[in-house]
Amino acid sequence: MDKFVIYGGNYLEGELPVSGSKNTALPLMAASILADGTTVLENIPNLQDVTTFAHVLRILGASVQFDPKEHRMHIDASRVNFPEAPYELVKKMRASFYMLGALLGRAGSARVSLPGGCAWGPRPVNLHLEGMKALGAEIDLDQGYVVAKAPGGRLTGGTFALDPPSVGATINLLLAAVTARGSSRIENAAREPDVIVFGEMLQQMGAKIEGLGSTIIEIEGVDALKPITFKNTPDRIELGTFMIAAAMAGRPGDLIHISNAAPEHLGEAFVDAFARTGTKFSFGPGYVDVIPTDEIQPVSIETAVYPGFPTDLQAQWTVFMTQAKGNSRITDTIYTDRFAHIPELHRMNVNAIVVGNQVVVAGNRPIKGAYVMSTDLRGSVSLVLAGLVAEGETHVQRIYHLDRGYENLEGKLSAAGIAVQRVAYQEFPDPVNETA
Ligand code: EPZ
């Protein structure tokens, strides 16, 4: 098992490069099985979730070659012949559930495990299932597996209104609808950049889609799609995380350059909140420059669907606000109990109180290094951010959570002046042998 050991007190400086988007890479990989032949994906991050998804594709019969140095992936779906996504993989990573739409779209049948539990919240898939039925699928449950069939081997198409505008359900319905016999309409669709970029790949494969980025998406089914070469977009959540890291741990007045970025994907709410902290920043083609201030203003936020404040940045914002000149309130309206990291932050002298789906954070408080435990992807990176400004050493344990969504984080932070090491450790040392 690995952990990060962070020696606090160094300023973050220089440059932080952003990797390809995790939450866009996964649906791009799913789309590849809609076309026989080899799809080439570029700017794919070297992450645990990408490795897991590649494994799902191999089980279906696809051949997947990934060059983590070049961030390029070749997926040949010509021999996909086993329409099943097993529990062992779906339970590890919910996005494997995209195989439901992809297999229905490719072969008119699918057997996909239900995702099961998650570190926070109920995360149901009722909208995915009801949506597939609206497109003409027959859906059954068998031993924890969703068994889906398109009568006559091909979906008819149909209309479905989402509530809430689920990212995952929008993506799954698009995967199924693009090769349906007729036309489909997704109402109250998700508008996240991940969905738009994924939809653009489908269009380049030959799909007929109108309305990406709006709440109404119209799809005209086509008989076949073709494999293409497609470049993934930079990770907007990693970008937001790095902007917060720079604002918290950079030397006031010194510029930090965040490269390979897509600032246009951040969404107004985050950009507005970041500006109100008093941190100076500017956007350019493919980059963001941040100039930290020593007077961080407290800014309360409320998460919402895009272009609202991303729930995937609320844990990071919570830690940012511990360095503000006053108190603030963070409200998560998407996942009402995504606060498993708060008790760990308490161990680092953070004063934050969870009340329902809100956390009230006290500012002006020094953070102290401690041994802390990762609980989930974004919760774990918030502990790393706290470690950047902590007095003394911070040991962030179980960083396999972090490896799911942040590529080579310790390498990027070290190159930017932070004293951080990845260290292997044993969680529960062997009990002393009684007889010794
Ligand atoms: C995606 O999850 C992201 N995951 C999540 O990021 C992100 O937090 C989430 O969107 C919201 O932005 C990936 O892209 C792989 P949703 P997803 O369906 O698709 C409810 C990270 O840290 N809902 O938009 O699962 C649901 O309970 C991850 O990278 C239903 O009620 O999210 C939630 O309250 C974590 N029924 C809301 O919709 C359904 O059938 C939004 O969920 C589906 C969802």
Side-chain angles (χ1 to χ4, degrees):
M1 184 94 65
D2 285 358
K3 65 179 175 180
F4 273 2
V5 181
I6 307 166
Y7 308 87
N10 287 20
Y11 280 119
L12 191 146
E13 56 197 13
E15 177 173 347
L16 281 170
V18 173
S19 294
S21 164
K22 166 183 82 81
N23 290 347
T24 310
L26 304 177
L28 300 183
M29 292 169 71
S32 70
I33 73 155
L34 291 173
D36 274 346
T38 300
T39 294
V40 181
L41 298 176
E42 296 170 338
N43 198 25
I44 298 298
N46 183 17
L47 298 169
Q48 190 50 51
D49 277 10
V50 166
T51 305
T52 305
F53 210 97
H55 201 37
V56 172
L57 295 179
R58 290 191 185 99
I59 287 179
L60 303 181
S63 99
V64 183
Q65 314 298 328
F66 181 43
D67 178 341
K69 286 208 176 42
E70 295 299 319
H71 296 101
R72 185 174 294 116
M73 182 177 282
H74 288 73
I75 303 170
D76 183 350
S78 311
R79 280 181 292 286
V80 164
N81 55 12
F82 181 63
E84 178 164 328
Y87 173 61
E88 291 69 31
L89 291 173
V90 179
K91 82 168 191 263
K92 258 197 192 162
M93 184 187 63
R94 297 174 56 78
S96 317
F97 203 62
Y98 293 153
M99 283 302 110
L100 180 65
L103 288 167
L104 273 172
R106 177 190 172 84
S109 73
R111 182 181 160 79
V112 177
S113 170
L114 276 171
C118 182
W120 74 83
R123 297 183 69 188
V125 292
N126 56 310
L127 296 173
H128 300 240
L129 303 182
E130 294 313 311
M132 294 304 169
K133 286 181 193 165
L135 298 185
E138 289 165 3
I139 300 275
D140 268 316
L141 210 55
D142 171 38
Q143 296 180 331
Y145 278 74
V146 174
V147 179
K149 270 201 173 357
R154 197 170 167 194
L155 294 173
T156 53
T159 295
F160 188 69
L162 292 167
D163 185 19
S166 155
V167 171
T170 303
I171 287 172
N172 231 338
L173 293 176
L174 276 167
L175 284 164
V178 285
T179 56
R181 219 180 285 286
S183 60
S184 301
R185 180 185 164 91
I186 304 173
E187 296 173 351
N188 196 27
R191 295 185 285 156
E192 272 70 4
D194 323 307
V195 174
I196 300 171
V197 174
F198 156 71
E200 287 162 358
M201 177 184 174
L202 290 174
Q203 287 172 326
Q204 289 178 28
M205 293 173 75
K208 294 200 172 121
I209 307 173
E210 299 293 332
L212 290 170
S214 79
T215 55
I216 304 286
I217 300 179
E218 310 255 15
I219 307 110
E220 196 57 48
V222 296
D223 294 343
L225 297 173
K226 63 180 189 305
I228 60 166
T229 295
F230 189 83
K231 185 163 187 191
N232 182 21
T233 191
D235 196 305
R236 64 194 173 95
I237 303 300
E238 187 178 29
L239 171 58
T241 304
F242 285 173
M243 289 171 69
I244 291 170
M248 285 176 59
R251 188 194 309 276
D254 281 9
L255 183 144
I256 291 154
H257 183 68
I258 304 174
S259 55
N260 302 343
E264 64 278 14
H265 287 170
L266 283 167
E268 292 117 49
F270 175 80
V271 174
D272 171 59
F274 196 74
R276 285 188 286 124
T277 66
T279 306
K280 296 279 172 286
F281 62 102
S282 59
F283 293 165
Y287 71 84
V288 175
D289 285 337
V290 173
I291 301 178
T293 172
D294 52 9
E295 290 284 318
I296 297 170
Q297 298 309 309
V299 176
S300 296
I301 60 104
E302 182 165 303
T303 68
V305 296
Y306 194 86
F309 194 103
T311 171
D312 295 346
L313 285 170
Q314 62 96 331
Q316 298 92 316
W317 195 263
T318 302
V319 174
F320 185 19
M321 289 299 105
T322 64
Q323 304 305 296
K325 303 292 179 218
N327 301 344
S328 54
R329 181 187 302 271
I330 284 95
T331 307
D332 199 331
T333 66
I334 307 285
Y335 296 116
T336 52
D337 67 345
R338 196 178 188 177
F339 302 109
H341 50 287
I342 299 294
E344 297 301 315
L345 287 171
H346 290 161
R347 298 171 51 75
M348 301 181 76
N349 194 40
V350 165
N351 180 358
I353 303 162
V354 176
V355 186
N357 69 335
Q358 295 186 327
V359 56
V360 180
V361 186
N364 290 320
R365 243 175 110 86
I367 294 186
K368 300 196 169 144
Y371 279 69
V372 288
M373 192 70 82
S374 303
T375 49
D376 59 271
L377 170 57
R378 308 303 171 182
S380 55
V381 84
S382 77
L383 302 176
V384 172
L385 292 177
L388 300 185
V389 296
E391 293 159 13
E393 277 181 34
T394 300
H395 294 240
V396 181
Q397 303 185 106
R398 294 187 184 172
I399 51 167
Y400 58 81
H401 288 287
L402 207 61
D403 291 337
R404 295 191 54 182
Y406 290 92
E407 182 180 34
N408 182 28
L409 187 59
E410 75 272 26
K412 292 179 181 181
L413 291 173
S414 311
I418 298 297
V420 53
Q421 283 176 312
R422 174 185 291 260
V423 176
Y425 74 106
Q426 224 184 334
E427 192 124 286
F428 302 105
D430 294 339
V432 176
N433 182 339
E434 301 300 327
T435 55

